[in-house]
């Protein structure tokens, strides 16, 4: 397991690295003492969750504390965390809170506990500038829930800006997973099709033509990493399989032209892509980057794909965005197909990425930051802010929510009443779960993305819309 490190200013000449779970020093020098936050993290990893939450209450009682991340749902989770520290849990309606018998000792320890939380959401790669600015300036934030392990490793972990904490219960519930950095869940970004054309997508190369939209990879780095990871053999072979299934015609001709360009310009060799079928993935990437439309958010893509006026359009966006489709005479969740649910489809269904729980190196409340990591990775109440929707699969499966029948009883627009009241089954919302998706999504792999990061420069040389 990789260890997070921080560089001691008093030992620059020795280049002594200090990990959160131990030290590595030169033979002739004494170990460098852990910082206040590193000591708290090391201690927290030995504590039971109740003892950890007790220390969090000690830190936060009567205080305000701050966190940030690449997700808009952090505030709801922080509010639920404070309720937990007050001895409460979600009611069945997941709107109100009720007393939790399991937390009875919380109330007796600090019966008048109060605290206020503040969450700051940052989109895409902007989060890294935000984190660095706080560490070098205000020192206000305590923890983050951050995406893109490739940039996280290079910009924050290797610099010692962010530190890792792994709850004991997480290791017990998710054996064999990578714990550094601590990933909380797998989010699915999936290919979708507007079915108002009464057709289905059967081949991934159909996404290389106009009418396909996804977030701008120049800002959304996990999308860029997806394009890079496609060149690895296990995924490139699927691209080749889809290519081999293409019938003669315009789509096949365009694929052949892109493949010719990749080969004549020795793109694979130039960017150290040595997989057997890597050139097919590079050709697919080239066409997607050049021919398709980009947005700064999944929201506009969701809106366009749900409208019947956009028959035949395709998109790549977070599965959970289906929850925000507003039913109307023109737009409906039932206008959207999840491409990978078509048994005749050849190709991957999209990709998955994680949010990583990290602690600021100068966190004012390090035990609270660690306890919050436990709360959102090891409890149903903590994970609920994200798990309430399809397409979000916790690494710790014990806190997940079954969405296999979430499409039943869906209300859509009824032209007879001119109201949204017709109850049907929205099959698109029936999530088949991680057991289905794990072999159909290109999963985040920071080591490969980092080793082939030069491809990002190639993408920017291609003409984009």
């Amino acid at each position: 397991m990789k260890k997070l490190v921080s560089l001691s200013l008093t030992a620059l000449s020795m280049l002594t690295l200090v990990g959160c779970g131990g030290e590595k020093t030169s033979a002739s020098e004494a170990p460098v003492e852990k910082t206040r936050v590193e000591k708290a993290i090391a201690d927290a990893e030995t504590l039971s969750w109740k003892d950890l939450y007790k220390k969090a209450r000690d830190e936060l009682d009567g205080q305000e504390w701050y966190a940030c991340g690449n997700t808009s749902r952090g505030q709801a989770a922080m509010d639920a965390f404070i309720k937990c520290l007050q001895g409460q849990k979600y009611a069945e309606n997941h709107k109100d809170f009720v007393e939790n018998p399991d937390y009875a000792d919380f109330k007796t320890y600090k019966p008048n506990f109060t605290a206020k939380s503040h969450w700051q959401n940052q989109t895409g790669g902007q989060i890294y500038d935000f984190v660095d600015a706080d560490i070098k300036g205000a020192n206000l934030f305590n923890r983050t829930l951050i995406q893109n392990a490739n940039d996280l490793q290079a910009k924050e972990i290797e610099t010692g800006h962010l530190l890792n904490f792994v709850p004991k219960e997480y290791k017990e519930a998710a054996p064999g997973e990578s714990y550094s950095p601590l990933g909380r869940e797998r989010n699915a970004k999936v290919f979708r099709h507007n079915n108002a054309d009464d057709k289905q997508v059967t081949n991934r190369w159909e996404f290389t033509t106009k009418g396909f939209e996804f977030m701008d990879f120049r800002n959304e780095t996990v999308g860029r990493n997806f394009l890079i990871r496609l060149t690895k053999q296990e995924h490139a072979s699927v691209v080749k399989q889809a290519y081999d299934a293409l019938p003669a015609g315009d789509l096949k001709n365009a694929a052949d032209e892109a493949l010719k360009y990749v080969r004549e310009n020795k793109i694979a060799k130039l960017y150290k892509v040595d997989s057997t079928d890597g050139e097919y993935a590079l050709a697919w990437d080239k066409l997607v980057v050049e021919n398709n439309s980009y947005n700064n958010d999944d929201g506009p893509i969701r809106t366009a794909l749900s409208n019947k006026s956009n028959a035949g359009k395709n998109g790549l966006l977070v599965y959970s965005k289906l929850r925000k489709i507003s039913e109307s005479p023109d737009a409906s969740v039932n206008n959207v197909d999840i491409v990978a649910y078509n048994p005749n489809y050849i190709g991957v269904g999209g990709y998955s990425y994680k949010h990583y729980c990290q602690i600021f190196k100068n966190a004012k409340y390090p035990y609270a930051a660690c306890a919050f990591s436990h709360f959102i990775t090891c409890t149903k109440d903590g994970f609920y802010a994200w798990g309430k929707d399809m397409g979000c699969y916790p690494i710790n499966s014990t806190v997940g929510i079954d969405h296999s029948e979430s499409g039943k009883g869906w209300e859509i627009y009824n032209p007879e009443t001119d109201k949204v009241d017709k109850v049907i089954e929205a099959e698109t919302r029936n999530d088949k779960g991680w057991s289905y998706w794990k072999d159909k999504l290109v999963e985040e792999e920071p080591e490969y993305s980092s080793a082939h990061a030069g491809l990002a420069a190639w993408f920017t040389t291609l003409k984009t819309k």
Side-chain angles (χ1 to χ4, degrees):
M1 179 181 76
K2 294 182 179 178
K3 296 181 179 179
L4 304 183
V5 296
S6 62
L7 187 59
S8 169
L9 293 178
T10 61
L12 281 173
S13 61
M14 297 180 294
L15 296 179
T16 301
L17 296 179
V18 182
C20 292
E23 294 103 6
K24 182 180 179 181
T25 66
S26 65
S28 61
E29 301 295 338
V32 177
E33 185 178 358
K34 288 185 173 70
T35 66
R36 172 184 61 86
V37 176
E38 290 171 334
K39 288 179 180 178
I41 291 174
D43 182 39
E45 290 187 332
T46 69
L47 298 176
S48 69
W49 70 270
K50 282 196 173 184
D51 287 339
L52 176 58
Y53 283 36
K54 182 178 179 180
K55 285 183 176 286
R57 294 198 301 283
D58 288 338
E59 287 184 336
L60 293 182
D61 193 18
Q63 305 299 318
E64 296 188 33
W65 75 307
Y66 295 78
C68 62
N70 290 124
T71 169
S72 59
R73 305 185 189 201
Q75 187 64 58
M78 289 185 81
D79 292 343
F81 177 59
I82 297 302
K83 291 293 186 181
C84 167
L85 296 183
Q86 292 171 334
Q88 299 182 61
K89 65 177 181 178
Y90 274 121
E92 289 188 10
N93 62 10
H94 278 97
K95 296 179 180 178
D96 303 314
F97 290 86
V98 297
E99 297 300 315
N100 186 348
D102 293 337
Y103 301 162
D105 54 333
F106 289 11
K107 295 186 73 65
T108 58
Y109 176 64
K110 283 189 178 293
N112 299 314
F113 173 83
T114 61
K116 188 172 183 180
S117 300
H118 302 277
W119 181 269
Q120 176 66 50
N121 185 45
Q122 294 288 317
T123 59
Q126 298 170 353
I127 185 71
Y128 296 101
D129 292 335
F130 184 85
V131 168
D132 292 344
D134 181 77
I135 288 175
K136 296 174 182 177
N139 292 331
L140 182 64
F141 287 82
N142 292 270
R143 56 156 299 108
T144 183
L145 195 58
I146 196 167
Q147 66 187 36
N148 182 12
N150 183 18
D151 282 354
L152 172 62
Q153 180 70 32
K155 296 181 179 180
E156 309 301 343
I157 292 177
E158 292 177 5
T159 60
H161 287 178
L162 295 178
L163 307 175
N164 205 41
F165 161 73
V166 186
K168 291 170 58 177
E169 291 80 8
Y170 181 98
K171 287 185 177 180
E172 294 168 358
E177 290 285 349
S178 173
Y179 304 135
S180 182
L182 180 68
R184 191 204 54 186
E185 90 295 18
R186 295 178 175 94
N187 288 288
K189 276 215 165 188
V190 300
F191 291 120
R192 303 187 199 177
H193 173 73
N194 184 310
N195 59 31
D197 63 350
D198 294 323
K199 297 179 181 178
Q200 287 185 320
V201 173
T202 59
N203 193 300
R204 65 170 297 139
W205 286 85
E206 294 178 49
F207 301 128
T208 62
T209 62
K210 294 179 180 179
F212 173 62
E213 295 187 47
F214 66 106
M215 279 186 65
D216 192 337
F217 65 87
R218 290 163 293 191
N219 179 51
E220 194 198 33
T221 49
V222 290
R224 178 199 66 198
N225 292 344
F226 164 60
L227 298 177
I228 293 174
R229 292 196 308 279
L230 280 175
T231 64
K232 190 174 183 180
Q233 180 56 25
E234 64 183 283
H235 307 305
S237 64
V238 180
V239 182
K240 170 67 160 53
Q241 179 187 9
Y243 169 86
D244 290 339
L246 286 173
D250 292 342
L251 197 58
K252 178 66 161 52
N253 293 338
D256 286 340
E257 281 297 314
L259 193 59
K260 179 181 178 183
Y261 172 90
V262 167
R263 287 170 172 167
E264 288 182 347
N265 290 276
K266 297 180 172 55
I267 301 299
K269 182 179 180 180
L270 184 62
Y271 294 100
K272 298 181 173 63
V273 175
D274 57 4
S275 54
T276 303
D277 299 316
E279 290 178 333
Y280 293 89
L282 291 169
W284 189 90
D285 285 348
K286 179 180 185 297
L287 290 174
V288 166
V289 170
E290 290 181 333
N291 291 336
N292 297 292
S293 302
Y294 302 94
N295 275 287
N296 290 326
D297 188 76
D298 282 344
I301 307 175
R302 174 206 65 228
T303 300
L305 281 179
S306 66
N307 197 299
K308 63 184 180 183
S309 65
N310 290 315
K313 283 199 171 186
N314 302 305
L316 175 62
L317 63 161
V318 177
Y319 195 172
S320 64
K321 288 292 183 182
L322 282 175
R323 76 191 189 282
K324 288 192 173 182
I325 292 177
S326 299
E327 296 288 329
S328 72
D330 297 317
S332 174
V333 68
N334 275 357
N335 292 339
V336 182
D337 286 341
I338 302 300
V339 172
Y341 288 170
N342 173 11
N344 298 317
Y345 171 70
I346 302 175
V348 297
Y351 70 93
S352 69
Y353 64 95
K354 299 175 183 176
H355 284 102
Y356 299 92
C357 305
Q358 295 287 278
I359 314 297
F360 277 64
K361 74 172 186 178
N362 46 16
K364 185 176 181 180
Y365 306 118
Y367 285 102
C370 292
F372 186 71
S373 286
H374 178 279
F375 184 65
I376 61 176
T377 61
C378 297
T379 75
K380 286 184 177 293
D381 277 5
F383 188 68
Y384 179 77
W386 298 272
K388 64 183 179 180
D389 290 311
M390 73 292 290
C392 185
Y393 314 106
I395 308 299
N396 175 3
S397 60
T398 66
V399 302
I401 299 174
D402 182 6
H403 290 290
S404 61
E405 297 183 353
S406 64
K408 289 187 175 180
W410 192 251
E411 291 188 343
I412 67 168
Y413 176 79
N414 185 349
E416 296 178 1
T417 62
D418 195 28
K419 296 180 180 179
V420 178
D421 65 1
K422 186 177 180 181
V423 178
I424 62 169
E425 182 169 12
E427 293 186 1
T428 301
R429 286 186 59 98
N430 290 334
D431 188 350
K432 296 182 183 295
W434 181 247
S435 61
Y436 179 88
W437 282 110
K438 67 179 182 179
D439 296 326
K440 296 175 177 62
L441 297 178
V442 176
E443 190 166 2
E444 184 169 53
E445 192 172 350
E447 292 84 1
Y448 187 85
S449 296
S450 179
H452 297 82
L455 282 171
W458 178 57
F459 297 152
T460 62
T461 67
L462 302 173
K463 185 179 179 181
T464 61
K465 295 187 180 297

